[in-house]
Amino acid sequence: MNKLTSSIKEAVINSGLRDGMTVSFHHHLRNGDYVLNMVMEAISELGIRDLTVNASSLFDTHRPMKEHIKNGTVKSILTDYMSGELGRFISAGGMNSPVQFRTHGGRPCDIENGKTPIDVAFIAAPASDPMGNCTGKRGKSACGSLGYAIPDARNARHTVVITDELVPYPLIDWSIPETDVDQVVLVDSIGDPKGIVSGTTKITRDPIGLSMAMTAVDVIKASGLLKDGFSFQTGAGGASLAAAKYLKDVMLKENIRGSYGLGGITGYMVDMLNEGCFESLLDVQCFDLKAVESIRNNPKHREISGTHYASPEAKSSAVDSLDVVILGATEIDTDFNVNVHTDSNGRIMGGSGGHSDTAAGAKLAMIIAPLSRARLPIVTDHVTCISTPGSTIDVLVTQKGVAVNPKDRELHDRLVSAGIKVMDIRELKALAESISGVPEKPRFGDRIVADVIYRDGTVIDHIREVAED
Amino acid sequence: MNKLTSSIKEAVINSGLRDGMTVSFHHHLRNGDYVLNMVMEAISELGIRDLTVNASSLFDTHRPMKEHIKNGTVKSILTDYMSGELGRFISAGGMNSPVQFRTHGGRPCDIENGKTPIDVAFIAAPASDPMGNCTGKRGKSACGSLGYAIPDARNARHTVVITDELVPYPLIDWSIPETDVDQVVLVDSIGDPKGIVSGTTKITRDPIGLSMAMTAVDVIKASGLLKDGFSFQTGAGGASLAAAKYLKDVMLKENIRGSYGLGGITGYMVDMLNEGCFESLLDVQCFDLKAVESIRNNPKHREISGTHYASPEAKSSAVDSLDVVILGATEIDTDFNVNVHTDSNGRIMGGSGGHSDTAAGAKLAMIIAPLSRARLPIVTDHVTCISTPGSTIDVLVTQKGVAVNPKDRELHDRLVSAGIKVMDIRELKALAESISGVPEKPRFGDRIVADVIYRDGTVIDHIREVAED
């Protein structure tokens, strides 16, 4: 009369997982996640081989994946983001078949349209009832939204919920309903709370970052978009958060009531909601404890699925109505193409996540980045890897000036009229190189180690092998 | 930048609806619904013909459907319930192809598994934003849950939301997300509030009904199921509501904390939630204003989709965990088969709704019915139409005694031990006939006017033509 299974290994056996199939994972437990490693260990011990792993993101904590690749358990990886440790392994040619990078919108899209079917989805759920109604909002490993996991659970042939807090039926604030769940496994712990969410996310104290944040808000004001109904997304980086804080001050001072904040949600966005800058928050992933508490208690702070966030084949998604997004970059080139997949040496250390989805959807897509980082210029002739096409980027904000994409003439004129220091992006490149020198181009091998699949399904770039240092 | 279309007719044209396709409707506006008639009128005016109409229920207010059948706009009807006026028309042979009756669980199941695909779903939404995030909880035509419409919107090729209250994006408490919506049409009114929900639902004052309600609660107590964690569904009929009221008194007195109330929800179930008899309500349809207000404001009162309510092909649904359901009957036979589709004359005046879904899922499925109604015995040798198979019914409660299905020996013994007057169902039949006489069997024609499709997809009965009086 319930779906409880005694162990992960038992659940894998019951799922009918066989050689060559696809398993999926989501990343709301971030670098604190235990579930992916526990499941892959069980699968490896069962001798199942040649799997495709479709994970919404992979963090350093998932380093055992290297062994599973080496021993043949894992044959292919599909993901939207991969942090440095696994990234270096892949870049050094650790895998035979190229990693497929998608976006946070493209991934649920391809799961739903059947291009990347999932055989068994494993859901890390901070609270579940015995029938699989589950949520991330409660429990000792609470992570808030389970947005990216919702399409996996709905579309997988078989879905296993793994939880460390079993509650009586029915868990009423489910993110994923029992209708999508085959088995529930209770384990001691699904993650390390310290790694799941930061206690608090902090704005930068770096003066360059603060200066860029102020300029970013000036650009938003000058764009004409900052008025009642305004909608906004920003990242969790220090300068992006500082921009949110300055923006809040402006909105409160000018009594502007925005419509919604979107995205990965931080405490700064929660403050904006609570202080009346937004009517609501649409949350696909929580970045800190304040966001988790807010999504648990405030009905105006609502979880959205990855589909609702950004799928390009949904009948619409939240990014389609977005006014402004502030995004980061490891490189941006003079055509405004942005790289967030590799470092300047060409090694994988990131991924698009929602970068290119929000850039495509937002009326104003802004990159905020210092001219150089670790003595390497950020602005370059050609990015090492195209993550987000320049055609979807409107403006670059640096500490030395702002560059507007030539396609945005009206925006250019608005910024100039507002007294913002607007420069040609080639001037910014020259300035960066005058400070940091012209960097050597990475030396790539011939072999392709990853494909970058844009949200419309086209492969917009390949990432090639780079020898280890 | 939004999905607003100026008129229903325009929306039908944009949808690509053509001859022979399928349109769908839901019935949360009940006998107050204007939307089905407005849409069918527009379709008829456009000269589109031979449509299949898949409506979760049809009420007397939908009587213009008779004209659409006669003029060839409508060729087939799929529904879970049909009230008397349209029922008599169908029973009299008004349609060439048989109506397909499904259950509230079987309908979403067959929509999802592709047996009954929908080309264009029309969603009557009491509030929507311009991108189609919509809800039934708010607006001048508020109806509460939109549970039955959720699978339609998700699975239809094209979905049109029709609303009389447009709110700014994003409507945050959506039942149906924008991801599933192609067009939004604003109209003056989607329904007559007086017909949408009763102001209040009232328990019976009839002494026979009250007596049966008390006996029903005695049976529940004796069954052993009434303990902490208890879950319960009951209908909106007077005696069923009276049973809910008596049950509440018992639960409060004995300090029993149930888990959930399910179903079509009335104010009586809301009282049980608010007074602590249940932890939560799972609501696929609201029957009265108190239920609408509760689902709008109380997070423990949550909307569920038709799939989550009762789909037999979901990985589980709420009916699977149900302890007790109280159901009605127009007839029950000595094998405990129940008819809720036709009157004793064999004319269509109802349908399964969630009857057979909850009977199949609940541990204790109870029929509550007077021995005779309008001088016709309720207990009979063979029901005129099998709506719910006797194998899923556990007990019949009448004002003269209680009959237990022979398959439930333990239940029988528990009731006897509790001092409940248990009789053989054949004794009850004899008693009914001694009071009301043996009724004449309906005189059917040869022609089949409707098929009764059980929740597992099998046709369990046919309904044949009956001449008009």
Side-chain angles (χ1 to χ4, degrees):
Chain A
M1 296 298 287
N2 64 51
K3 300 174 183 174
L4 291 172
T5 304
S6 60
S7 71
I8 290 176
K9 196 174 272 185
E10 201 67 34
V12 171
I13 294 169
N14 294 344
S15 75
L17 187 72
R18 293 192 309 275
D19 292 359
M21 286 185 172
T22 296
V23 293
S24 92
F25 302 93
H26 63 106
H27 71 283
H28 297 90
L29 302 183
R30 302 172 60 78
N31 204 40
D33 175 46
Y34 294 163
V35 166
L36 185 147
N37 291 344
M38 290 193 294
V39 169
M40 292 309 301
E41 180 71 23
I43 288 172
S44 183
E45 284 175 16
L46 287 167
I48 302 169
R49 294 173 63 84
D50 295 333
L51 293 183
T52 294
V53 173
N54 186 341
S56 54
S57 294
L58 292 164
F59 291 89
D60 283 350
T61 195
H62 300 128
R63 60 182 66 83
M65 186 68 83
K66 293 192 273 188
E67 293 312 310
H68 299 308
I69 293 167
K70 287 179 192 164
N71 70 25
T73 305
V74 175
K75 187 178 181 184
S76 310
I77 290 180
L78 321 181
T79 192
D80 308 340
Y81 177 96
M82 181 183 286
S83 62
E85 186 164 339
L86 207 49
R88 283 190 297 277
F89 173 80
I90 299 296
S91 281
M95 210 165 178
N96 286 325
S97 72
V99 168
Q100 290 183 20
F101 277 109
R102 282 181 177 75
T103 71
H104 280 343
R107 179 180 184 274
C109 177
D110 282 354
I111 290 169
E112 288 172 359
N113 67 22
K115 284 187 191 165
T116 57
I118 297 168
D119 292 293
V120 188
F122 294 92
I123 310 297
S128 178
D129 71 29
M131 299 301 276
N133 292 295
C134 62
T135 182
K137 293 169 194 157
R138 295 190 277 129
K140 64 182 175 183
S141 304
C143 62
S145 178
L146 293 183
Y148 297 122
I150 294 171
D152 296 36
R154 186 177 293 162
N155 294 284
R157 181 180 56 71
H158 193 101
T159 297
V160 180
V161 164
I162 298 170
T163 189
D164 53 7
E165 182 150 332
L166 199 64
V167 303
Y169 184 93
L171 180 145
I172 193 74
D173 52 346
W174 64 82
S175 305
I176 291 168
E178 63 181 298
T179 50
D180 296 341
V181 177
D182 295 275
Q183 299 182 76
V184 178
V185 184
L186 178 64
V187 297
D188 288 339
S189 175
I190 61 169
D192 175 4
K194 286 196 295 293
I196 295 173
V197 285
S198 352
T200 52
T201 38
K202 293 274 189 203
I203 64 174
T204 185
R205 291 185 175 189
D206 166 38
I208 292 179
L210 292 176
S211 154
M212 293 191 298
M214 277 191 254
T215 306
V217 173
D218 289 341
V219 169
I220 293 170
K221 281 167 72 176
S223 73
L225 294 167
L226 190 60
K227 56 191 179 195
D228 285 352
F230 175 71
S231 58
F232 180 60
Q233 173 165 343
T234 188
S240 302
L241 291 176
K245 173 158 185 331
Y246 293 138
L247 184 66
K248 185 183 79 174
D249 295 342
V250 170
M251 292 179 77
L252 290 177
K253 191 174 159 205
E254 301 189 4
N255 197 24
I256 294 164
R257 289 194 66 88
S259 54
Y260 68 103
L262 178 65
I265 297 293
T266 63
Y268 290 91
M269 295 290 269
V270 172
D271 289 342
M272 293 180 84
L273 174 68
N274 291 339
E275 295 181 36
C277 299
F278 297 124
E279 292 292 330
S280 56
L281 296 179
L282 302 181
D283 187 340
V284 71
Q285 180 187 7
C286 293
F287 282 127
D288 58 27
L289 288 175
K290 197 169 191 172
V292 174
E293 194 183 308
S294 171
I295 201 173
R296 179 168 56 233
N297 296 320
N298 188 346
K300 291 183 168 182
H301 181 164
R302 188 151 176 199
E303 182 175 38
I304 50 173
S305 68
T307 307
H308 200 161
Y309 173 47
S311 170
E313 288 181 14
K315 288 168 177 182
S316 68
S317 66
V319 299
D320 298 334
S321 294
L322 190 61
D323 285 328
V324 175
V325 65
I326 299 183
L327 296 164
T330 56
E331 293 177 322
I332 179 167
D333 68 24
T334 49
D335 293 325
F336 288 83
N337 296 305
V338 176
N339 174 18
V340 288
H341 277 89
T342 72
D343 60 22
S344 298
N345 295 318
R347 288 194 184 85
I348 295 165
M349 43 66 72
S352 185
H355 197 284
S356 43
D357 299 305
T358 51
K363 294 188 187 68
L364 175 64
M366 179 194 298
I367 302 295
I368 182 168
L371 268 190
S372 59
R373 204 183 271 133
R375 289 191 299 280
L376 285 168
I378 296 291
V379 191
T380 173
D381 274 328
H382 297 289
V383 287
T384 312
C385 170
I386 298 179
S387 306
T388 296
S391 59
T392 62
I393 299 294
D394 299 292
V395 61
L396 165 66
V397 171
T398 74
Q399 76 274 35
K400 295 289 182 186
V402 170
V404 179
N405 192 319
K407 77 184 172 72
D408 297 305
R409 290 190 186 187
E410 188 194 329
L411 180 66
H412 175 275
D413 297 346
R414 283 173 171 270
L415 301 197
V416 171
S417 301
I420 293 168
K421 186 175 176 188
V422 178
M423 297 166 70
D424 190 290
I425 194 165
R426 286 162 296 194
E427 292 179 78
L428 286 173
K429 171 180 169 272
L431 192 57
E433 289 177 351
S434 74
I435 298 165
S436 311
V438 180
E440 281 187 50
K441 289 283 171 192
R443 272 171 295 182
F444 291 107
D446 286 338
R447 189 165 146 209
I448 292 170
V449 298
D451 295 326
V452 179
I453 302 172
Y454 189 57
R455 66 199 301 260
D456 66 0
T458 58
V459 176
I460 53 168
D461 212 342
H462 302 289
I463 301 174
R464 288 175 195 275
E465 190 174 12
V466 185
E468 291 260 27
D469 280 325
Chain B
M1 298 297 288
N2 64 51
K3 301 177 182 171
L4 291 173
T5 304
S6 59
S7 71
I8 290 175
K9 197 175 272 185
E10 201 67 35
V12 170
I13 294 168
N14 294 344
S15 75
L17 188 72
R18 294 192 308 276
D19 290 359
M21 287 186 171
T22 296
V23 294
S24 92
F25 301 94
H26 62 106
H27 70 283
H28 297 90
L29 302 183
R30 303 172 61 80
N31 204 39
D33 176 47
Y34 293 163
V35 167
L36 185 146
N37 291 344
M38 290 192 294
V39 169
M40 292 309 302
E41 181 69 24
I43 289 173
S44 183
E45 284 175 19
L46 288 166
I48 303 170
R49 293 174 63 83
D50 294 334
L51 294 181
T52 294
V53 173
N54 185 341
S56 53
S57 293
L58 291 165
F59 291 89
D60 281 350
T61 195
H62 300 128
R63 59 181 69 82
M65 185 68 83
K66 292 190 273 187
E67 294 311 310
H68 300 308
I69 293 167
K70 287 179 192 163
N71 70 26
T73 306
V74 175
K75 187 178 180 183
S76 309
I77 290 180
L78 290 59
T79 193
D80 308 341
Y81 178 95
M82 181 182 285
S83 62
E85 187 165 340
L86 207 48
R88 282 189 298 276
F89 173 80
I90 299 297
S91 281
M95 210 167 179
N96 286 325
S97 71
V99 168
Q100 291 183 16
F101 278 108
R102 282 182 176 73
T103 71
H104 281 342
R107 179 179 183 274
C109 176
D110 282 354
I111 290 169
E112 290 171 358
N113 68 21
K115 284 188 193 166
T116 58
I118 297 168
D119 292 294
V120 187
F122 294 93
I123 310 296
S128 179
D129 69 31
M131 300 300 276
N133 293 295
C134 62
T135 182
K137 293 169 195 159
R138 295 190 276 130
K140 63 182 175 183
S141 305
C143 62
S145 178
L146 294 182
Y148 296 122
I150 294 171
D152 295 38
R154 184 177 294 161
N155 294 285
R157 181 180 57 70
H158 193 100
T159 298
V160 180
V161 164
I162 298 169
T163 189
D164 52 8
E165 183 150 331
L166 200 63
V167 303
Y169 184 92
L171 179 146
I172 194 72
D173 52 346
W174 66 80
S175 304
I176 290 168
E178 62 180 301
T179 51
D180 295 342
V181 177
D182 294 274
Q183 299 182 79
V184 178
V185 184
L186 178 64
V187 296
D188 288 337
S189 175
I190 60 170
D192 174 4
K194 287 196 295 293
I196 295 173
V197 286
S198 353
T200 50
T201 37
K202 294 272 188 203
I203 63 173
T204 184
R205 291 186 174 188
D206 165 40
I208 291 179
L210 294 175
S211 152
M212 291 191 299
M214 278 192 253
T215 305
V217 174
D218 290 340
V219 169
I220 293 170
K221 282 169 70 174
S223 73
L225 294 167
L226 189 61
K227 56 192 179 194
D228 285 352
F230 175 72
S231 58
F232 179 60
Q233 174 167 342
T234 189
S240 301
L241 291 175
K245 172 155 184 335
Y246 292 139
L247 185 64
K248 185 182 81 172
D249 296 341
V250 170
M251 291 178 78
L252 291 176
K253 190 175 160 204
E254 301 189 4
N255 197 25
I256 294 164
R257 288 194 65 90
S259 53
Y260 68 103
L262 177 66
I265 296 293
T266 63
Y268 289 91
M269 294 292 267
V270 172
D271 289 341
M272 292 180 85
L273 174 67
N274 291 339
E275 296 181 35
C277 299
F278 297 123
E279 292 292 330
S280 56
L281 297 180
L282 302 179
D283 187 340
V284 72
Q285 179 187 7
C286 294
F287 282 125
D288 60 27
L289 288 174
K290 196 169 192 173
V292 175
E293 194 184 307
S294 171
I295 200 173
R296 179 167 58 234
N297 297 319
N298 188 347
K300 291 184 168 181
H301 182 166
R302 187 150 177 201
E303 182 176 38
I304 50 173
S305 67
T307 307
H308 200 161
Y309 173 48
S311 170
E313 287 181 16
K315 288 167 177 183
S316 67
S317 66
V319 298
D320 298 333
S321 294
L322 189 62
D323 285 329
V324 174
V325 64
I326 299 182
L327 297 164
T330 55
E331 294 178 319
I332 179 167
D333 68 23
T334 49
D335 293 323
F336 288 83
N337 297 306
V338 175
N339 175 18
V340 288
H341 278 87
T342 73
D343 61 21
S344 299
N345 295 318
R347 289 195 182 84
I348 296 167
M349 43 68 71
S352 187
H355 198 283
S356 44
D357 299 305
T358 50
K363 293 188 189 68
L364 175 64
M366 180 194 298
I367 301 295
I368 180 168
L371 268 190
S372 59
R373 204 183 271 133
R375 288 190 302 277
L376 286 168
I378 298 291
V379 191
T380 172
D381 273 327
H382 297 287
V383 285
T384 311
C385 170
I386 298 178
S387 306
T388 296
S391 59
T392 63
I393 300 294
D394 299 292
V395 61
L396 165 66
V397 171
T398 74
Q399 75 274 34
K400 295 290 184 183
V402 170
V404 180
N405 192 319
K407 77 184 170 73
D408 297 304
R409 288 194 188 184
E410 189 194 329
L411 179 66
H412 175 275
D413 296 346
R414 281 173 173 271
L415 302 197
V416 170
S417 299
I420 293 167
K421 187 177 176 188
V422 178
M423 297 167 72
D424 191 290
I425 195 166
R426 287 163 295 194
E427 293 178 78
L428 286 172
K429 172 181 168 271
L431 193 54
E433 290 177 350
S434 75
I435 298 166
S436 310
V438 180
E440 278 188 53
K441 289 286 171 192
R443 271 171 295 180
F444 292 107
D446 285 338
R447 191 165 144 209
I448 291 170
V449 298
D451 295 326
V452 179
I453 302 173
Y454 189 57
R455 65 198 304 260
D456 66 1
T458 58
V459 176
I460 51 167
D461 211 340
H462 303 289
I463 301 175
R464 290 177 194 273
E465 189 173 12
V466 184
E468 293 260 25
D469 280 327

